[in-house]
Amino acid sequence: MQKIDSIRLFEGITYIDQELIEAAQGPAHKKRGNVVWLGRAGALAASFMFAAAVLLFVNAAFPAFAESLPIIGQVFRQLNSLGSNAPSYEGMVQSIGESGENSQYIATVTEAYCDGEYIFFAMRLQPKDSKLLKMETLYTEESADQNGAPGWSVIINGESAGLGYSLPVFTRNGAYFESVPIQVRLPEGTDQSAPVRVEAAIGNLCGRAGETVAGQVISIEPVSLGFDLEANTGHNRQTSVQNVEIDGLKLLSWSLSPSKLGVDISYPYFDMAGVSARARTSSGQDLGGDLREYGDFGDGRYTTGDTAIQKCSFTGPPDGAEKVIVTIYREQTGGTVVFGEFTIDLETGDAAVTEGYLDDELQHIPIAEYAAGIVK
């Protein structure tokens, strides 16, 4: 373990704003804590909680020091959507530590990963202006604000990420703010053999003192930062499937990355909403419903009598998952009807039609029969 020089903890500390001290030392019940998911139990969990408590006090007095201590993947474990299981893949999440600043705050990218399709990165915002600590959350707008300050932007290898990204939202954690991981979809044709260059800019920064309080502009000074990231595609797979069908509902292919499970299905087209889908691992871990990354069929690409192809996206399973089960269904008056279920063996690549939904006493209707009834 690296020895910490206690004298160096005080280097660079010349003045600490009294408001900052008072805010950092405020009553514990006023502080919004983070939900921590622990992957281990017993003594390790107890040790972690003790260490976290110690670090909380260290951070209140010396936020710069606390910021330098990486907990790789910790922020990503708070996701409940794409990317939440990425930390289970060894070496996936990388410590970054690149910063940008203005007169009011320092923004730092703490950790990130790239699986060849998406980039996820987490940010920490450390106030210089103690007035920021009166806010519970900080956020930035996508476009220019009322003062004309630019909004949030992300550039990948010199190319704008367009609309393929999420906006950072920072939640106060003691004397600093942490963002949920920011998702960026890589532009088509990105060279994954070379480091991916990410450049991000916060143009305007807004804050809310509470959930029911209207937001207000905190800063219009832009902050820019950049970092390089290696794409890790070693865990990615894509497999075509043959002859896996139930009553007109076909599984065509599936793909896997640490961030996403993708499934392509086809069936008789009956309306622009398509079908609903949900996935889980064979051990029972819920991977969520179809994220509908590709929207619905409202663009007129299909008409009655066509075969629709729907691309479904779910949270990627954790490393070591053996099988995933995808259920295709539709909610309607009177309950849920199931069109079919596919079980995919992630080790062999094989897929098969299964009927696990019968254990939940769900009704099955052939999708061709359902479609015929809808389009009459």
Side-chain angles (χ1 to χ4, degrees):
M1 181 179 295
Q2 184 178 358
K3 183 178 179 181
I4 299 174
D5 183 349
S6 59
I7 300 299
R8 293 190 62 192
L9 294 179
F10 297 91
E11 289 183 0
I13 299 178
T14 57
Y15 171 74
I16 302 178
D17 191 304
Q18 184 61 33
E19 288 188 45
L20 180 62
I21 296 174
E22 292 174 359
Q25 294 179 342
H29 68 271
K30 291 185 179 180
K31 207 155 32 182
R32 185 187 297 270
N34 280 354
V35 177
V36 178
W37 287 17
L38 301 179
R40 302 177 183 176
L44 180 58
S47 299
F48 181 91
M49 295 305 293
F50 174 76
V54 173
L55 286 176
L56 181 62
F57 286 106
V58 171
N59 176 72
F62 312 111
F65 169 67
E67 181 176 301
S68 69
L69 301 177
I71 308 177
I72 300 301
Q74 181 59 40
V75 174
F76 292 96
R77 290 187 177 94
Q78 298 176 41
L79 277 172
N80 55 12
S81 186
L82 286 179
S84 59
N85 293 312
S88 68
Y89 294 80
E90 185 176 356
M92 196 72 204
V93 181
Q94 304 171 40
S95 180
I96 303 298
E98 296 292 337
S99 300
E101 62 183 293
N102 60 20
S103 65
Q104 293 175 283
Y105 62 88
I106 302 170
T108 302
V109 175
T110 54
E111 55 190 24
Y113 79 85
C114 175
D115 64 6
E117 186 171 2
Y118 298 91
I119 291 172
F120 284 86
F121 63 95
M123 298 181 70
R124 177 170 292 180
L125 193 148
Q126 181 181 327
K128 293 180 181 180
D129 183 348
S130 61
K131 293 182 177 59
L132 270 66
L133 287 170
K134 296 178 180 179
M135 300 296 153
E136 286 294 315
T137 58
L138 300 172
Y139 61 96
T140 183
E141 302 289 356
E142 185 173 10
S143 57
D145 70 1
Q146 58 186 355
N147 297 307
W152 171 252
S153 66
V154 180
I155 295 175
I156 306 296
N157 292 344
E159 180 181 346
S160 173
L163 298 178
Y165 59 80
S166 59
L167 296 171
V169 177
F170 300 88
T171 301
R172 183 181 166 185
N173 184 3
Y176 59 85
F177 294 80
E178 285 185 323
S179 76
V180 296
I182 298 151
Q183 171 190 330
V184 183
R185 188 160 190 166
L186 286 176
E188 291 288 337
T190 299
D191 181 7
Q192 299 172 7
S193 63
V196 178
R197 179 65 180 174
V198 183
E199 296 172 278
I202 301 175
N204 57 69
L205 188 66
C206 303
R208 286 194 180 93
E211 294 182 0
T212 61
V213 180
Q216 57 181 288
V217 177
I218 300 298
S219 174
I220 58 173
E221 292 184 63
V223 169
S224 299
L225 50 84
F227 60 96
D228 294 317
L229 192 61
E230 296 283 349
N232 184 341
T233 60
H235 303 287
N236 297 7
R237 296 179 61 186
Q238 186 160 356
T239 303
S240 297
V241 176
Q242 301 292 329
N243 303 319
V244 180
E245 176 183 359
I246 176 171
D247 302 319
L249 174 65
K250 295 182 181 180
L251 176 63
L252 303 177
S253 63
W254 61 271
S255 60
L256 177 70
S257 73
S259 64
K260 187 179 79 173
L261 168 69
V263 172
D264 291 349
I265 57 175
S266 70
Y267 54 86
Y269 174 78
F270 52 84
D271 69 26
M272 68 179 185
V275 296
S276 297
R278 196 164 192 91
R280 68 185 189 277
T281 66
S282 54
S283 63
Q285 181 173 345
D286 185 17
L287 301 178
D290 179 12
L291 297 170
R292 303 307 290 257
E293 285 186 293
Y294 305 94
D296 56 26
F297 304 135
D299 56 7
R301 78 187 86 163
Y302 298 122
T303 59
T304 302
D306 290 344
T307 297
I309 296 177
Q310 184 170 326
K311 302 174 74 67
C312 304
S313 303
F314 313 93
T315 299
D319 190 22
E322 297 178 354
K323 297 179 180 180
V324 293
I325 302 161
V326 179
T327 305
I328 313 299
Y329 63 97
R330 189 78 182 264
E331 298 285 358
Q332 64 175 19
T333 303
T336 301
V337 295
V338 175
F339 301 129
E341 175 185 281
F342 302 113
T343 295
I344 301 168
D345 190 316
L346 300 178
E347 296 181 347
T348 66
D350 296 334
V353 173
T354 52
E355 297 180 334
Y357 56 88
L358 294 178
D359 295 336
D360 297 322
E361 299 182 349
L362 295 175
Q363 179 187 10
H364 170 255
I365 294 180
I367 197 167
E369 179 181 312
Y370 182 88
I374 289 292
V375 300
K376 282 181 180 178

